[in-house]
Amino acid sequence: VGSNIQSGAMLIVDGTETFELSKSATGSKWVVTKKALSTPGSRSVSSIWADGQTHSIVVVNPDGGRSDSVSLQ
């Protein structure tokens, strides 16, 4: 998990809400910080998942490389 993710990568939720990914404090994981707000909706990750529905996520690297879509609930 997390292989080939590049600095500056973005997490896209449901094809619309974009979050910047950053390294965890230990540098072992890529994370969205708790206070991060999405573009363009200014939503937090917790507010998106508060509806209890399944949401799709994709990681996009600065070079345009994309991960496969994954569904999370």
Side-chain angles (χ1 to χ4, degrees):
V1 174
S3 63
N4 299 319
I5 296 177
Q6 302 168 353
S7 181
M10 304 298 278
L11 179 75
I12 303 175
V13 180
D14 295 335
T16 58
E17 299 299 328
T18 303
F19 294 89
E20 183 177 346
L21 289 171
S22 56
K23 287 278 194 163
S24 65
T26 63
S28 62
K29 299 177 189 175
W30 290 96
V31 298
V32 173
T33 63
K34 286 184 179 185
K35 293 184 180 182
L37 297 178
S38 66
T39 302
S42 295
R43 298 182 69 191
S44 67
V45 170
S46 61
S47 75
I48 291 172
W49 267 271
D51 63 8
Q53 300 299 309
T54 300
H55 297 276
S56 66
I57 61 169
V58 174
V59 174
V60 179
N61 281 323
D63 67 3
R66 299 173 70 90
S67 71
D68 291 336
S69 179
V70 175
S71 295
L72 298 174
Q73 184 174 12

